[in-house]
Every structure is written in C-alpha cells, then in structure tokens.
Amino acid sequence: MTAQPILYSYFRSSCSWRVRIALALKNIDYETIPTNLIKDGGQQFSKEFQALNPMKQVPVLKIDGITIGQSLAIIEYLEETRPTPRLLPQDPKKRAYVHMISNLIVSGIQPLQNLSVLKQLRQENNLPWAQKAISSGFQALEQILQGTAGKYCVGDEVTMADLCLVPQVANAERFEVDLTPYPAISRINKTLLALEAFQVSHPCRQPDTPPELRA
C-alpha cells in the first residue's frame, strides 16, 4: 500500500497554499504537518526540518518515496504523475503564458515581501516595502492578463498560474494594497475563490490556523 503523502505547511504561507490548491484540485488525500514559521524562532530552522529541505522553507511534500521542496516543482510533479485535472495546458503558447505568469509571481513579487526579507528591514518599513513590491508586480501582471485572461488567468481553465495568483492577492490584502487599479486581477481572484478547491485550501481553514483567524 502506498504511503499517504505528507505536506509540511504553514497556514499563512502563500507557497504552501499553492500546493494545497493543487492537491485539492487533483483530489489527493494527504497528511498535514504544520511548520510554524514564527514559533520557537521558526520551526523551519530546526535540524529535523533542515534535513527535509536545506533551504529551510515550506512547503515540502513527501510523496511516492521522494521529498520535494519548492511549490512549482511540487505542482509540476503532481501534474506529471497525476495529470487530471490538467493544470498546464497542452497548447505550447498557453503553457508558456502559464509559466510566465507563475514565475512573475513566485520570483518577481512574493520573495520581495516574504517574511525572511521583511525581517531584515526596520519594522516601520515593512508595510511600505511590501506594498511597493506587490504594486510594482501587479502593474505588470494586470497588463499581461489583458492579453491572456479568459475566465481565469490563461483562458477558461484553471491553471498553475491561478494557483499562484490567489495566494498573492491574499498577501496584497494583508499588506493593505489598494486593488482598485487591478480589475482583471480582482475579477479572476473573486471567481477562483468561489471554487471549492480554493476554499478548502484557504489559510483560514487549516489545521494550524489560529482560532481567531478561522472562518
């Protein structure tokens, strides 16, 4: 009998949320091992966790006898081994758009406002820094979506790009970014949040969600 996959996750981690959405969309049952990025100085810095992921980051997925870090690597492995429903279009042009949008978010926006970066700044600079990083990226993303979006980020099917978008919009809201200038981003986000996979994977519904943040 194949062992149940294990996801090392933090409820508020946008990178972990991307993977939780993929697991939900593909109907993969898994065990969650919460990894608190703040408690005890950050549980990701423990020797036990560093043995799982030398980068000391979540998410980490144990599946099929291997251990994978980095959210897009995890999602692409799930796509290759469990291709239904498809999250990467077969059409090479649409597939390129999905990779472009996904990488814009995971490389060009999220790392700049991540906890590890904000900890290097004076606390009073955290909010303006994060707002600037997100707004700069969203200006580019909004322009790109004018040419790629249908119902979702790329056409009318949910793709890996959408799995990256929704957690990043949640980050924007947490950092009080004005979303008014980004109607396409806002519309697609609202549409996606109505889907069950995005709801069950939401930070407010995780095993390690604090009671005051549950919904």
Side-chain angles (χ1 to χ4, degrees):
M1 183 176 178
T2 305
Q4 186 180 47
I6 298 174
L7 178 67
Y8 294 79
S9 172
Y10 179 55
F11 80 101
R12 189 171 263 166
S13 160
S14 56
C15 305
S16 298
W17 190 2
R18 297 169 198 150
V19 173
R20 295 196 303 257
I21 298 168
L23 291 165
L25 285 168
K26 292 178 179 291
N27 292 309
I28 301 170
D29 290 328
Y30 64 97
E31 176 188 354
T32 298
I33 296 185
T35 305
N36 194 308
L37 304 186
I38 299 172
K39 186 179 179 182
D40 303 326
Q43 294 173 347
Q44 72 275 25
F45 298 118
S46 69
K47 289 183 179 179
E48 294 80 7
F49 190 85
Q50 191 172 348
L52 289 171
N53 185 1
M55 274 298 285
K56 296 166 276 191
Q57 296 172 337
V58 293
V60 173
L61 183 68
K62 282 187 171 183
I63 188 170
D64 299 340
I66 64 172
T67 302
I68 316 171
Q70 301 299 325
S71 62
L72 296 195
I74 294 170
I75 293 167
E76 294 208 33
Y77 177 80
L78 296 176
E79 182 73 358
E80 291 172 6
T81 59
R82 296 152 175 86
T84 305
R86 184 175 293 279
L87 297 177
L88 290 170
Q90 288 183 302
D91 178 82
K93 293 179 181 178
K94 288 185 177 180
R95 196 180 185 99
Y97 285 147
V98 169
H99 280 294
M100 176 175 66
I101 293 168
S102 300
N103 281 288
L104 185 155
I105 294 170
V106 307
S107 300
I109 304 177
Q110 192 271 336
L112 297 174
Q113 49 91 111
N114 200 19
L115 177 64
S116 61
V117 172
L118 296 181
K119 285 170 71 173
Q120 305 305 313
L121 304 173
R122 294 172 65 93
Q123 189 168 0
E124 62 268 24
N125 293 332
N126 282 3
L127 187 61
W129 173 276
Q131 289 174 335
K132 182 177 180 180
I134 295 169
S135 296
S136 176
F138 273 13
Q139 288 169 16
L141 179 57
E142 181 72 18
Q143 187 174 339
I144 289 168
L145 290 173
Q146 303 303 321
T148 66
K151 188 175 182 181
Y152 305 117
C153 284
V154 179
D156 296 325
E157 301 294 330
V158 174
T159 68
M160 184 169 69
D162 300 298
L163 278 57
C164 297
L165 178 77
V166 168
Q168 189 56 54
V169 174
N171 285 343
E173 292 172 340
R174 185 156 60 92
F175 288 116
E176 303 172 10
V177 173
D178 179 13
L179 296 176
T180 306
Y182 316 116
I185 292 173
S186 298
R187 174 187 64 78
I188 295 167
N189 181 68
K190 182 178 180 181
T191 303
L192 289 164
L193 283 173
L195 302 178
E196 183 181 6
F198 288 79
Q199 294 174 3
V200 299
S201 59
H202 196 281
C204 71
R205 297 178 64 178
Q206 298 314 299
D208 55 331
T209 304
E212 66 274 14
L213 297 179
R214 287 195 164 276

